[in-house]
């Protein structure tokens, strides 16, 4: 192995140049193991996002290959903060994990911008000042080149709520009937749509478990970021699962196959959904391609 500056923190790190392709693999203590494909642009508008992502996931993944496609996936990944408050939350979570009871002191000079997906040290400083104004942290000393912070009780309470909620989950609970056409829609539309945006969709039939099916459903909903519920054929379980997910505060995306919705039953009555959900903005999908596209649009608009 040779030595070369890390692409994101400029530390001198070990690298491995694969002679069979254009990948250079970096071994960085701050950013983990990542491989950068030659010619892939990591310019200023996105560098801090990749920097933060690699820093946050350095202990979760073996390596990350930075290709043009993967960079777009990282930008869309649900763990990447999309708002200013979400960036502040990252700093609070970092502090909470490293807090030593009520005595944890955090020195600004020891904190790197990647903790809060900040663009630079100046932005990180402004973010810490904002946390102080929100009374989530308090300053205990300040000098020309360093400020010492501690989490307040308000900050501890808020950070604990963040840590033990499912806001960082990438799991998506899917409720639907198990007819072949719906299972195909799950495999060919729902799963790919979620994966494209950094989520992992699953139905209970895919999960190994020893519990009763209802207990497993409840546990799965509790650990999911949001739910997708398909009401085609008026599956009774879907109503229960949608209601439970909504009651737990999860966003619920409701779908139904348009071909069934527009048709009639054996007695000539038009198929219709229960009036309790008829006022929701339900995705009426025509085929798997249509379902995938509309799910990507809806998730992007309401979840990310």
């Amino acid at each position: 192995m040779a030595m070369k500056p890390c692409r994101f923190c400029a530390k001198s790190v070990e690298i491995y140049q694969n002679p069979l392709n254009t990948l250079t693999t970096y071994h960085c203590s701050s950013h983990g193991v990542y491989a950068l494909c030659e010619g892939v642009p990591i310019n200023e508008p996105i560098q801090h996002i990749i920097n933060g992502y690699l820093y946050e996931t350095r202990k979760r993944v073996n390596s990350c290959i930075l290709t043009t496609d993967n960079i777009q996936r990282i930008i869309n990944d649900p763990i990447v903060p999309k708002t200013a408050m979400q960036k502040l939350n990252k700093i609070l979570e970092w502090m909470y994990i490293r807090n030593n009871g009520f005595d944890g002191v955090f020195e600004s000079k020891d904190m790197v911008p990647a903790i809060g997906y900040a663009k630079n040290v100046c932005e990180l400083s402004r973010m810490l000042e904002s946390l102080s104004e929100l009374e989530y942290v308090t300053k205990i000393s300040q000098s020309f080149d360093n400020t010492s912070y501690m989490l307040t009780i308000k900050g501890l309470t808020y950070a604990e709520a963040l840590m033990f909620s499912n806001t960082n989950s990438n799991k998506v609970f899917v409720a639907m009937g198990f007819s072949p056409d719906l299972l195909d829609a799950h495999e060919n539309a729902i799963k790919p749509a979620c994966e494209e945006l950094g989520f992992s969709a699953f139905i209970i039939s895919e999960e190994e478990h020893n519990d009763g099916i209802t207990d497993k459903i409840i546990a799965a909903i509790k650990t999911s970021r949001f739910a997708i519920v398909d009401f085609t054929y008026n599956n009774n379980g879907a109503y229960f699962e949608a209601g439970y997910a909504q009651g737990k505060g999860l966003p619920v995306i409701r779908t139904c196959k348009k071909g069934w919705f527009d048709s009639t039953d054996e007695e000539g009555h038009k198929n219709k959904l229960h009036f309790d959900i008829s006022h929701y903005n339900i995705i009426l999908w025509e085929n798997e391609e249509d379902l995938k596209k509309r799910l990507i649009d809806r998730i992007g608009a309401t979840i990310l």
Side-chain angles (χ1 to χ4, degrees):
M1 286 189 178
M3 303 294 290
K4 191 175 182 179
C6 171
R7 181 65 176 77
F8 300 94
C9 66
K11 292 179 182 177
S12 182
V13 300
E14 292 183 335
I15 66 162
Y16 171 74
Q17 182 70 55
N18 192 326
L20 301 178
N21 53 42
T22 59
L23 286 178
T24 301
T25 303
Y26 295 75
H27 295 252
C28 178
S29 59
S30 295
H31 296 94
V33 179
Y34 65 93
L36 181 60
C37 186
E38 184 179 331
V40 172
I42 303 180
N43 47 29
E44 187 174 333
I46 64 169
Q47 179 160 334
H48 67 287
I49 297 175
I50 310 302
N51 184 16
Y53 177 85
L54 290 175
Y55 180 86
E56 184 173 6
T57 63
R58 66 194 186 282
K59 295 180 181 178
R60 302 184 200 174
V61 295
N62 293 326
S63 63
C64 179
I65 300 177
L66 299 178
T67 63
T68 301
D69 290 342
N70 277 351
I71 286 175
Q72 189 58 49
R73 180 188 61 78
I74 288 171
I75 293 171
N76 293 330
D77 193 290
I79 76 167
V80 173
K82 307 299 190 297
T83 66
M85 194 62 221
Q86 287 175 353
K87 293 172 75 172
L88 296 183
N89 289 347
K90 292 291 184 181
I91 299 175
L92 283 176
E93 291 175 3
W94 182 89
M95 288 181 167
Y96 182 88
I97 291 171
R98 290 157 182 80
N99 194 49
N100 181 22
F102 292 95
D103 298 324
V105 177
F106 303 94
E107 311 288 348
S108 63
K109 64 181 176 61
D110 296 329
M111 300 173 70
V112 296
I115 292 168
Y117 289 73
K119 294 178 181 178
N120 47 50
V121 173
C122 290
E123 184 179 29
L124 177 63
S125 179
R126 290 194 297 270
M127 292 165 71
L128 289 167
E129 186 65 30
S130 296
L131 288 173
S132 178
E133 291 173 1
L134 289 168
E135 299 180 348
Y136 289 146
V137 301
T138 184
K139 298 177 186 178
I140 58 174
S141 67
Q142 188 170 10
S143 64
F144 173 74
D145 61 349
N146 182 56
T147 304
S148 300
Y149 296 92
M150 289 182 68
L151 283 168
T152 63
I153 293 297
K154 181 179 178 181
L156 281 167
T157 303
Y158 181 73
E160 190 165 296
L162 288 173
M163 293 296 297
F164 295 100
S165 70
N166 55 359
T167 54
N168 291 325
S169 173
N170 73 334
K171 295 173 65 176
V172 181
F173 178 81
V174 179
M176 57 175 20
F178 291 155
S179 60
D181 58 331
L182 296 184
L183 292 176
D184 286 345
H186 174 67
E187 287 295 324
N188 301 324
I190 296 175
K191 267 189 171 181
C194 291
E195 288 172 359
E196 189 165 321
L197 298 176
F199 295 101
S200 177
F202 68 97
I203 53 180
I204 286 300
S205 64
E206 297 176 328
E207 300 285 298
E208 297 290 340
H209 61 88
N210 296 317
D211 305 321
I213 189 67
T214 302
D215 292 339
K216 187 64 179 178
I217 288 170
I218 289 173
I221 290 173
K222 285 181 177 179
T223 59
S224 295
R225 174 76 176 274
F226 63 97
I228 296 173
V229 182
D230 190 272
F231 292 93
T232 306
Y233 310 128
N234 263 330
N235 179 271
N236 288 332
Y239 285 92
F240 166 79
E241 290 149 16
Y244 185 80
Q246 184 171 340
K248 295 300 292 183
L250 266 68
V252 178
I253 296 176
R254 297 165 178 82
T255 68
C256 184
K257 191 174 183 178
K258 193 173 188 298
W260 174 83
F261 186 82
D262 291 338
S263 63
T264 57
D265 61 21
E266 295 178 354
E267 298 178 357
H269 300 127
K270 187 180 184 305
N271 290 322
K272 60 182 180 180
L273 302 176
H274 196 275
F275 71 88
D276 282 348
I277 69 162
S278 59
H279 61 286
Y280 288 108
N281 186 8
I282 298 170
I283 294 175
L284 294 176
W285 53 278
E286 297 188 3
N287 51 51
E288 293 171 359
E289 182 180 356
D290 178 49
L291 177 58
K292 179 183 176 182
K293 180 182 182 305
R294 297 180 69 182
L295 278 175
I296 290 173
D297 292 343
R298 183 67 62 85
I299 294 168
T302 62
I303 306 298
L304 294 176

